[in-house]
Amino acid sequence: MKLHVGCAMWAHTGWQGRLLPHPLAPRERLRAYASWCNAVEGNTTFYATPSAETVRSWAEQTGPDFRLLLKLPKPISHGLRLADADVPLRSFLQVMEPLGPRVHALWIQLPASFGPSDLGTLAAFLHRVPRGLRSTVEVRHPAFFEDRRWEQRLERVLGDVGAEWTSFDTTSVFATPPTNEAEREAWAKKPRLPRRSRALTDRPIVRYIGREDARRTTEGWRHWTGTVADWLREGRSPTVFIHTPDNDDSLALARRFHDEVRALVPGVEPLPEPLPTGPPTLF
């Protein structure tokens, strides 16, 4: 059994020299990150499609079992709102081809205004995603969480093509008032929605955001360690991404989450040993 864990990015100033070697050339940063975690959110593709050379570099720095959640570009998900998107989708996926099996799923994060009346557009788009490429959809419209009728209809749309519903858990962030600027920013920007932990496929995906206090972060993920352990016992292959408001400790916390699940399910494969942050010493 293998549990994949990761963070929102693979390069973060707060990790340099403390968790990851520093300095690191751009073409070595993902490789160093992959010694800590075996998955990553591909948020960078939401803002701009990288060059083919950059994508080839990502492939060279990771093994084929590494999981990259490939975020659909914003012009397609938020600009076109998935309508008439065949050409830009095809162009985007062509650039990503060198990643091969590392693309775990096409992550379709939709704006909060994308609601029940848009389900037909979503269904049509999902049917145009190439066969063999998994899709996972993250919705933020309250109706999908508060009205069982719309929840079931969305599940049917996803189930028709074997797509997953990305779980984005922000309940820990909003459990108590923010204590610093990073948490206040999270309060202002993150969606305040109920936790959802129902898996539709054998590859569930969870995005969990905790607090600046590591203790409160780990207390808040207790629901997920148990749920993920159950999924593994059922034969599913989950991927979990750990965030905190400033992400300074998210890399270490992702490994801690993996350790806690592995304590519940000893058959889970261990993560690789992280690269040392500095040159080897005699003592």
Side-chain angles (χ1 to χ4, degrees):
M1 289 181 288
K2 179 166 279 192
L3 167 62
H4 285 73
V5 296
C7 302
M9 73 289 285
W10 61 77
H12 179 64
T13 302
W15 302 341
Q16 295 177 6
R18 183 169 66 93
L19 301 175
L20 298 181
H22 181 70
L24 273 176
R27 287 181 172 271
E28 294 297 323
R29 292 171 185 169
L30 179 54
R31 191 189 314 278
Y33 168 92
S35 73
W36 277 78
C37 293
N38 52 6
V40 73
E41 291 182 2
N43 281 292
T44 181
T45 57
F46 181 69
Y47 301 101
T49 299
S51 67
E53 181 181 2
T54 295
V55 175
R56 285 193 294 271
S57 170
W58 295 349
E60 291 166 358
Q61 294 179 64
T62 54
D65 188 53
F66 186 84
R67 288 183 178 176
L68 191 147
L69 196 61
L70 193 61
K71 197 169 186 180
L72 191 67
K74 186 176 182 179
I76 300 176
S77 60
H78 290 56
L80 296 173
R81 295 174 65 88
L82 306 185
D84 301 318
D86 288 5
V87 172
L89 174 64
R90 190 180 311 116
S91 298
F92 173 66
L93 294 179
Q94 284 176 346
V95 175
M96 299 298 146
E97 281 183 358
L99 291 171
R102 297 163 186 79
V103 178
H104 179 58
L106 179 65
W107 171 22
I108 305 164
Q109 186 185 85
L110 296 169
S113 59
F114 197 102
S117 63
D118 298 299
L119 283 178
T121 303
L122 174 61
F125 180 85
L126 290 173
H127 279 283
R128 289 184 171 88
V129 174
R131 290 180 178 273
L133 175 60
R134 292 174 177 268
S135 297
T136 185
V137 178
E138 183 180 324
V139 292
R140 297 186 173 187
H141 194 289
F144 295 123
F145 300 86
E146 298 169 357
D147 189 325
R148 181 59 178 158
R149 173 185 51 170
W150 294 119
E151 179 187 19
Q152 290 176 334
R153 291 193 186 181
L154 175 56
E155 287 185 352
R156 284 198 294 270
V157 166
L158 300 175
D160 284 346
V161 293
E164 188 54 84
W165 182 334
T166 305
S167 296
F168 186 26
D169 183 4
T170 60
T171 56
S172 181
V173 172
F174 295 111
T176 56
T179 60
N180 58 30
E181 187 56 37
E183 291 189 349
R184 281 189 284 274
E185 185 176 353
W187 260 53
K189 293 183 177 180
K190 302 302 180 184
R192 190 182 300 218
L193 295 167
R195 178 195 290 136
R196 187 183 186 283
S197 52
R198 172 175 157 81
L200 301 183
T201 71
D202 65 339
R203 303 285 182 97
I205 294 172
V206 176
R207 304 179 65 227
Y208 167 80
I209 178 167
R211 305 295 292 260
E212 289 303 281
D213 182 344
R215 178 184 58 82
R216 297 179 70 185
T217 296
T218 59
E219 288 175 352
W221 74 32
R222 297 299 175 216
H223 167 84
W224 289 113
T225 53
T227 298
V228 169
D230 288 342
W231 284 341
L232 288 161
R233 296 185 190 107
E234 293 166 2
R236 302 181 195 266
S237 181
T239 305
V240 180
F241 297 102
I242 303 298
H243 302 227
T244 64
D246 69 8
N247 282 309
D248 281 356
D249 295 319
S250 59
L251 191 60
L253 285 166
R255 287 184 69 94
R256 180 170 173 179
F257 181 90
H258 189 280
D259 288 343
E260 290 193 12
V261 173
R262 193 162 175 247
L264 298 174
V265 189
V268 172
E269 291 185 26
L271 291 169
E273 283 299 313
L275 289 177
T277 55
T281 62
L282 293 177
F283 305 100

